Amino acid sequence: MHLIVSFSWTSTDNMLTISCTTTLHRSDPAPLTLCLMPEFDLIHDTRFCPPERNILREIYVSANGQEWTKSGLWLDEYESHCNWYGVECNKKHNTVKLELYSNGLSGTLNPNISNLGLLEVLDLSDNDIKGSIPTEIGLLSNLNYLRLSYNLFVGNETNFGNNLKNLELIQLHGNRLSGSIPSLDLSFVEHSSFIADCGNPSDFDESLLCEECTMCCNAQGYCYPQEDTDIQALGFDDYVHFTWFFFACIFGITCAMAMTSFIYDKCRIRYAPRESIRRLTEPGRDTKYALDMIGDDSVYQFFLGKSWSGWFIVLATIFSQMWMLFCLYRVQKLTCLMTALTWYTPGSALEIRMNVEIRQT
């Protein structure tokens, strides 16, 4: 901002007239310090005191800007906020991008960031920002990309509302978020579109609930796509429910076969000759046949007896076998999970960012 003063004089009838003209020419905003003083006459003039410059200043203070790795031109008295490091504006000097990833930010994230109404890209990943993620971010209706991963954010419920209709990417993993992330009512296509710490094992008793997440990360920092398994595609929640259904089917089929065999034997005895009936009703005949099929050394032979101790042994054996099958299922599930972890490892955070930037172009 420059103040131009011009003087002119005229001489008529032996009289000298001097006039002074002042022109206020705006090339830069007013000094930042002046725009913070309520007594400043132009404090409400957005041409000289852009509101977004004050908002960015508040973000700088809240995030301990004096400790940032790079803070070129931030809080410069005469420099436009559009020239500050990590800030990008449109032709009307509205902030559209704020990219300060891996820049040593700490402190907290100021809720007034929601007043950057035309913000499209917010990337504060790979820093040490603490506190909760401001729900006011949900007011940034023009936001396309939101990256807050690898910070120290905490919170039991991270709710952005349903105003982020233009959001294409959101990454919240690498924090200490718990509870749930309510639905954003959006459809994401890419595996890296919506990432959060909803994987297992988790740092908490229950992992973060995020139904819309396209990728989940666990406590070890490994991430894998959140997709329905073959069992879930069949309508089961997991293999435990499938196992119960499987055993129920076996029990039902066994009962049906037993009933069919009983009816068949009754009908065969009724219409068979007397000699055949005598052989069919011979005592111990069925038991002997069953022992031949089961084997004398099998614990299941106790099913043919009437001893309570025998039945206890065979039932305990079945229970222990089912428990071993369940443990085998858990190990197999972990093995499948480790196989899926090839999607993303802790060292590939930069790779995901590069892939997203390529997709943006």
Side-chain angles (χ1 to χ4, degrees):
M1 181 175 61
H2 304 285
L3 183 64
I4 301 175
V5 182
S6 60
F7 296 91
S8 62
W9 60 275
T10 57
S11 178
T12 57
D13 298 331
N14 297 323
M15 295 185 63
L16 180 63
T17 303
I18 300 176
S19 61
C20 176
T21 305
T22 61
T23 303
L24 190 63
H25 175 68
R26 177 182 180 269
S27 60
D28 294 310
L32 179 60
T33 305
L34 285 178
C35 292
L36 299 176
M37 296 180 178
E39 299 83 5
F40 184 47
D41 293 340
L42 301 176
I43 190 173
H44 298 297
D45 191 328
T46 58
R47 296 175 302 168
F48 303 105
C49 293
E52 291 191 353
R53 187 172 61 160
N54 292 340
I55 296 170
L56 290 171
R57 174 191 168 276
E58 294 176 5
I59 295 174
Y60 178 90
V61 174
S62 297
N64 296 330
Q66 68 277 8
E67 300 175 358
W68 292 2
T69 305
K70 296 180 182 179
S71 57
L73 300 180
W74 275 77
L75 304 192
D76 186 280
E77 287 290 336
Y78 300 97
E79 197 67 43
S80 169
H81 64 281
C82 297
N83 297 327
W84 293 359
Y85 173 79
V87 179
E88 184 175 326
C89 299
N90 57 18
K91 294 181 179 180
K92 295 183 179 180
H93 296 88
N94 299 119
T95 304
V96 294
K97 289 185 179 182
L98 182 58
E99 297 177 299
L100 296 170
Y101 56 86
S102 301
N103 199 44
L105 277 68
S106 57
T108 59
L109 181 56
N110 198 299
N112 288 335
I113 194 172
S114 61
N115 293 322
L116 301 177
L118 297 180
L119 193 64
E120 298 176 1
V121 175
L122 177 60
D123 189 351
L124 305 179
S125 58
D126 300 298
N127 287 293
D128 295 313
I129 307 176
K130 304 176 181 64
S132 59
I133 298 178
T135 57
E136 288 81 358
I137 290 180
L139 300 176
L140 298 172
S141 58
N142 291 293
L143 201 61
N144 294 326
Y145 297 91
L146 174 61
R147 300 191 191 99
L148 301 176
S149 54
Y150 295 107
N151 278 283
L152 301 174
F153 287 116
V154 296
N156 188 45
E157 181 172 323
T158 306
N159 193 347
F160 296 113
N162 54 3
N163 195 41
L164 300 176
K165 301 301 183 182
N166 297 313
L167 198 61
E168 299 178 15
L169 181 141
I170 173 172
Q171 295 180 354
L172 305 175
H173 57 292
N175 290 288
R176 293 190 56 81
L177 302 178
S178 59
S180 63
I181 299 180
S183 173
L184 299 175
D185 196 22
L186 296 173
S187 297
F188 298 99
V189 178
E190 301 292 334
H191 283 299
S192 60
S193 295
F194 193 174
I195 310 178
D197 295 321
C198 49
N200 286 304
S202 172
D203 289 328
F204 303 94
D205 294 336
E206 295 184 3
S207 59
L208 179 68
L209 179 61
C210 180
E211 296 181 355
E212 286 188 347
C213 284
T214 57
M215 187 174 287
C216 287
C217 300
N218 60 23
Q220 280 73 41
Y222 293 103
C223 304
Y224 54 91
Q226 183 170 244
E227 299 175 331
D228 287 343
T229 62
D230 295 337
I231 291 297
Q232 290 173 331
L234 295 175
F236 300 98
D237 293 337
D238 51 34
Y239 280 95
V240 175
H241 291 167
F242 172 77
T243 302
W244 282 112
F245 175 78
F246 179 75
F247 277 113
C249 290
I250 291 179
F251 180 77
I253 294 173
T254 302
C255 292
M257 292 178 63
M259 182 62 66
T260 303
S261 177
F262 175 79
I263 296 174
Y264 174 76
D265 288 342
K266 288 293 184 183
C267 293
R268 188 173 58 166
I269 292 174
R270 180 177 180 181
Y271 297 105
R274 289 186 177 181
E275 182 63 24
S276 299
I277 293 175
R278 187 184 64 81
R279 290 196 301 269
L280 292 173
T281 57
E282 182 180 347
R285 179 178 177 274
D286 291 338
T287 302
K288 184 176 181 301
Y289 174 77
L291 283 174
D292 291 338
M293 296 299 296
I294 296 175
D296 294 336
D297 56 347
S298 175
V299 70
Y300 294 109
Q301 66 175 311
F302 290 115
F303 274 131
L304 303 175
K306 298 181 179 180
S307 170
W308 286 103
S309 59
W311 274 82
F312 175 79
I313 292 173
V314 72
L315 291 176
T317 301
I318 293 176
F319 176 79
S320 61
Q321 289 176 336
M322 292 182 64
W323 174 253
M324 287 188 288
L325 284 174
F326 177 74
C327 294
L328 180 63
Y329 150 73
R330 296 297 297 271
V331 172
Q332 184 64 27
K333 183 178 179 181
L334 182 60
T335 303
C336 294
L337 176 61
M338 295 300 294
T339 302
L341 295 182
T342 54
W343 276 91
Y344 175 77
T345 59
S348 59
L350 179 60
E351 181 180 349
I352 282 187
R353 179 179 293 111
M354 292 174 63
N355 291 337
V356 172
E357 290 174 352
I358 291 174
R359 182 153 53 89
Q360 283 182 278
T361 58

